Amino acid sequence: MKELLLVRHAKSSWKDDSLADFDRPLNKRGKKTAPLMGQLLADKHWQPDRVFASPAARTKATAELLLPALAIPPDQIDWYPSLYDASVKAIFNAIKQAPAACQRLMIIGHNPGIEETIEALDPKFSEMIPTCCVTRIRCNIKNWQEITKKCGEVMDCLKPKEVLVELI
């Protein structure tokens, strides 16, 4: 069994409409929520063995705020340009690059790709994925190259407004 943590980036800002979508930063709520979600993951002992993320500004900022609580420095993240605005196929292709020794892989990306990937892995799951949501999926595979539709089961879906109610 392998485990995926699929993370949608934290809330981004639309304040500066001159910025390209790729360059949009996090807003105040996103900057507050990401480290709190990182601490929640640390408290649950959901430390990933590897992190793959989109290089967009908002996913980079999410990673830089989320991962310190998990003792993962920013230089240990693999940045995959293919995860920006990624389809399920592109996300699966990135997952297939994870080393065999990796038991828990974290992907930090964007909707609709994150949501569609969750539903592809576990078709019984059909919830909306808000910003900074972390979905934990158990995959019935021995190595990452075997990732395919319907091979997963959603074990947890941590939505910030539900799990951090009193904090945000």
Side-chain angles (χ1 to χ4, degrees):
M1 292 282 198
K2 299 283 188 180
E3 195 169 278
L4 271 174
L5 297 173
L6 294 177
V7 182
R8 182 177 174 198
H9 65 77
K11 189 76 172 164
S12 61
S13 174
W14 292 88
K15 195 174 192 176
D16 184 350
D17 60 2
S18 70
L19 289 176
D21 181 70
F22 187 88
D23 298 321
R24 283 192 298 113
L26 296 182
N27 69 11
K28 185 178 177 182
R29 188 173 95 200
K31 290 175 185 175
K32 183 176 181 181
T33 304
L36 294 173
M37 290 300 286
Q39 187 58 55
L40 179 62
L41 297 179
D43 292 347
K44 290 182 171 289
H45 305 287
W46 291 1
Q47 170 109 13
D49 299 312
R50 195 73 171 239
V51 179
F52 294 170
S54 159
R58 59 194 179 274
T59 46
K60 276 190 169 186
T62 299
E64 290 167 356
L65 292 168
L66 182 91
L67 296 174
L70 296 164
I72 298 173
D75 65 346
Q76 291 190 11
I77 303 166
D78 293 307
W79 302 104
Y80 278 82
S82 62
L83 290 175
Y84 174 70
D85 199 23
S87 65
V88 173
K89 182 179 179 180
I91 293 172
F92 277 13
N93 285 340
I95 291 169
K96 289 177 181 181
Q97 303 307 307
C102 174
Q103 291 300 309
R104 182 179 290 139
L105 174 64
M106 177 182 280
I107 304 283
I108 304 174
H110 311 264
N111 263 1
I114 291 291
E115 196 168 283
E116 291 169 353
T117 300
I118 295 165
E119 291 174 6
L121 289 166
D122 184 353
K124 298 182 305 286
F125 185 86
S126 62
E127 296 179 27
M128 292 188 64
I129 302 299
T131 53
C132 215
C133 180
V134 179
T135 305
R136 186 172 67 102
I137 302 170
R138 183 182 304 142
C139 298
N140 189 19
I141 56 175
K142 291 182 181 174
N143 66 64
W144 293 109
Q145 291 72 31
E146 296 173 358
I147 196 84
T148 186
K149 291 181 178 181
K150 301 181 183 179
C151 77
E153 179 183 2
V154 172
M155 304 307 293
D156 296 280
C157 184
L158 305 177
K159 298 175 183 176
K161 284 188 178 178
E162 294 174 6
V163 297
L164 303 174
V165 174
E166 68 282 352
L167 302 173
I168 59 173

